[in-house]
Amino acid sequence: LGGEKGCPLSERAMAFDPFEGPYQVDPAEALRWARDDEPVFYSSKLGYWVVSRYDDIKAVFRDNLTFSPRIALEKMTPVSREAQEALASYGYAMNRTLVNEDEPAHMERRRALLDHFLPENLLPRRERVRALVRERMDALVDKGRADLVQEMLWEVPLTVALDFLGVPEDDMETLRRFSVAHTVNTWGRPTPEQQLEVAHSVGRFWQYAGKVLEKMRAEPDGPGWMHQAIRRNAEMPEVVTDSYLHSMMMAIIVAAHETTAHASANMFRTLLTHRDAWDDVCADPSLIPNAVEECLRYAGSVVAWRREATRPVELGGVRLPQGAKLLMVTASANQDDRHFEEAARFDIYRDNAVDHLTFGYGSHQCMGKNIARMEMRVFLEEFTRRLPHLRLEPQEFTYLPNTSFRGPDQLWVAWDPARNPERAQP
Ligand code: HEM
């Protein structure tokens, strides 16, 4: 286990706990010591090697043969027998999707499913997103106070996600609850009792995904990305497999909406706590694209991602054995002073903000990044225009304890409706 720079099992390494304490408050700050002194350390509590510096994480993302993504959706917490049995009773068989598939299968599949993500195919969606945001805003703009998460920021991304996927908008509240269960199941540390409850929700989510798939198969010319995947499954079943379809149906609903909902909530929180930046964006909307990137860098919604070493390899001066599991804390990379000048400073004018690793990097980089960016930009365009006097209410922020997905459970904001530049019906 020897590293060049001291023993990787230092006291701080042993004390590292991503499910509570400093990491839950601010994952980047919580790993400042690691970036400075032990950039790659072994966490015995997790059974993972934690990687904290920008260059090391980018090197791992770049080489997905040495660092396989196959553990990306593995359960972080070993599952109790009861929970396993509960999952099995639903026929739960979550398997490879895209994000956790090795080469060469991954690239073949990614290429077969790329069209819908091309910028020219996304552009027409922007005005639909705007209409949706406006409609939700009309409902709250005269109220003076709102929890943005509850009243805007989960529902819009979920609606956009289902529309993009071509999945019928049946029961959004249930889907939201299922998504939270999936996050806890994959990246959380549930107690044995919670495990059982979570297992039942995830099992129901799995069956729901199967039913939706059946319904969609019956409509072969249907719209959206999942319909395209179903057609590809018929044309090239060895590339877009049956198992992929069912696993992806479940995983993508979460990937496409929770990530964006959290990123948007983090963005509003960050901008409203840096009032000068908010006021600048209100005065000059052309600042919005870079402000969005800086928010994704400074307070991203995915804060850590995983890989597994397929051979013994050295990283950041530490020798890793074959099979080493890596937790790459991208939030830490995003605040690494070795790459970003005064990295802990929020600066919407930063010229390399876009270098952040919140969408991953390399051949698995997030396919939905431009959809997420587009939604976040539209949120800002609409809010800075219609509620420039928005302010954050004093509140305690709470987060769902897990290693990877991060966004506040609630985000209370207030404003004086008498000062609204536009009324409910602009
Ligand atoms: C992969 C983050 C939104 C679809 C990923 C990965 C991350 C990520 C970290 C893994 C990258 C890697 O291994 O290098 C995010 C964040 C989002 C977001 C932070 C919002 C702010 C979306 C949306 C969609 C989406 C809206 C779809 C509509 C995907 C897909 C992959 C992926 C399909 C797998 C790509 C592959 O393995 O080839 N995302 N994502 N994501 N994301 Fe996203």
Side-chain angles (χ1 to χ4, degrees), residues 11 16 24 27 29 42-43 70 73 97 126 158 176 181 204 210 221 298 305 336 376 379 389 407 411:
E11 250 171 58
F16 176 70
Q24 282 301 311
E29 192 51 39
Y42 186 71
S43 160
R70 62 184 162 225
L73 300 181
T97 58
R126 195 173 59 196
L158 181 53
R176 185 188 183 198
R204 283 196 286 270
D221 299 327
Y298 185 85
W305 209 247
D336 186 347
M376 292 171 76
F379 278 136
H389 49 307
L411 187 77

Side-chain angles (χ1 to χ4, degrees), residues 1-281:
L1 292 184
E4 275 172 16
K5 274 185 134 195
C7 172
L9 284 179
S10 71
E11 250 171 58
R12 286 184 296 193
M14 283 199 288
F16 176 70
D17 186 342
F19 303 106
E20 57 180 47
Y23 186 92
Q24 282 301 311
V25 177
D26 181 346
E29 192 51 39
L31 282 176
R32 179 182 288 279
W33 64 270
R35 288 196 295 284
D36 290 345
D37 301 330
E38 292 177 64
V40 179
F41 69 86
Y42 186 71
S43 160
S44 45
K45 272 191 197 167
L46 284 181
Y48 274 77
W49 295 81
V50 180
V51 189
S52 59
R53 279 191 188 164
Y54 187 90
D55 285 348
D56 291 338
I57 293 183
K58 206 163 183 176
V60 172
F61 272 129
R62 212 176 253 138
D63 181 356
N64 64 349
L65 298 181
T66 306
F67 299 103
S68 160
R70 62 184 162 225
I71 59 165
L73 300 181
E74 230 174 49
K75 294 177 194 69
M76 202 77 205
T77 300
V79 190
S80 68
R81 224 196 47 233
E82 284 98 325
Q84 270 176 29
E85 283 168 7
L87 278 170
S89 73
Y90 293 92
Y92 178 73
M94 180 74 168
N95 201 346
R96 300 298 176 91
T97 58
L98 276 168
V99 85
N100 58 354
E101 184 62 278
D102 281 313
E103 302 305 344
H106 160 259
M107 231 351 140
E108 262 185 285
R109 193 176 291 161
R110 182 168 164 128
R111 282 207 193 95
L113 298 170
L114 198 65
D115 301 5
H116 278 65
F117 291 99
L118 297 174
E120 61 269 29
N121 294 334
L122 291 182
L123 208 59
R125 296 187 175 274
R126 195 173 59 196
E127 291 321 302
R128 292 231 288 286
V129 173
R130 193 181 303 285
L132 204 58
V133 174
R134 284 198 177 157
E135 192 187 298
R136 301 303 303 151
M137 268 194 103
D138 288 346
L140 60 79
V141 75
D142 283 331
K143 291 202 322 185
R145 182 170 187 262
D147 168 10
L148 283 190
V149 172
Q150 184 58 31
E151 295 181 50
M152 172 78 70
L153 299 180
W154 75 266
E155 200 180 330
V156 171
L158 181 53
T159 311
V160 173
L162 296 181
D163 185 42
F164 174 79
L165 300 172
V167 171
E169 282 169 36
D170 276 348
D171 185 354
M172 307 260 285
E173 268 295 346
T174 309
L175 275 186
R176 185 188 183 198
R177 276 205 313 280
F178 281 167
S179 298
V180 173
H182 174 67
T183 301
V184 176
N185 188 46
T186 312
W187 293 284
R189 175 133 300 177
T191 62
E193 303 78 64
Q194 283 169 333
Q195 278 199 18
L196 201 57
E197 200 186 308
V198 163
H200 282 292
S201 293
V202 171
R204 283 196 286 270
F205 193 4
W206 176 256
Q207 292 199 337
Y208 174 90
K211 285 204 192 98
V212 172
L213 203 54
E214 282 314 302
K215 219 156 88 183
M216 290 175 75
R217 276 188 202 276
E219 199 197 329
D221 299 327
W225 191 55
M226 283 308 294
H227 271 296
Q228 189 202 25
I230 291 169
R231 287 192 286 274
R232 291 277 189 269
N233 170 248
E235 292 157 19
M236 40 171 90
E238 68 299 337
V239 174
V240 179
T241 60
D242 286 341
S243 154
Y244 162 81
L245 276 188
H246 196 157
S247 298
M248 194 57 167
M249 179 59 95
M250 186 169 135
I252 193 66
I253 290 175
V254 183
H257 103 265
E258 267 211 337
T259 50
T260 314
H262 287 329
S264 305
N266 292 339
M267 172 177 76
F268 279 104
R269 179 183 174 185
T270 305
L271 279 169
L272 291 171
T273 46
H274 295 84
R275 193 74 209 181
D276 290 349
W278 173 264
D279 289 342
D280 284 2
V281 172

Side-chain angles (χ1 to χ4, degrees), residues 299-355:
S301 52
V302 172
V303 295
W305 209 247
R306 288 180 281 171
R307 291 289 190 262
E308 183 178 296
T310 57
R311 60 175 175 85
V313 61
E314 192 175 308
L315 182 69
V318 174
R319 283 194 303 280
L320 302 175
Q322 179 174 353
K325 294 180 173 196
L326 272 57
L327 183 73
M328 301 176 286
V329 184
T330 43
S332 168
N334 287 347
Q335 294 205 20
D336 186 347
D337 292 316
R338 292 155 202 80
H339 189 86
F340 298 100
E341 208 183 317
E342 283 186 75
R345 189 165 48 84
F346 179 68
D347 177 7
I348 59 168
Y349 299 95
R350 187 181 290 280
D351 58 15
N352 66 347
V354 71
D355 288 357

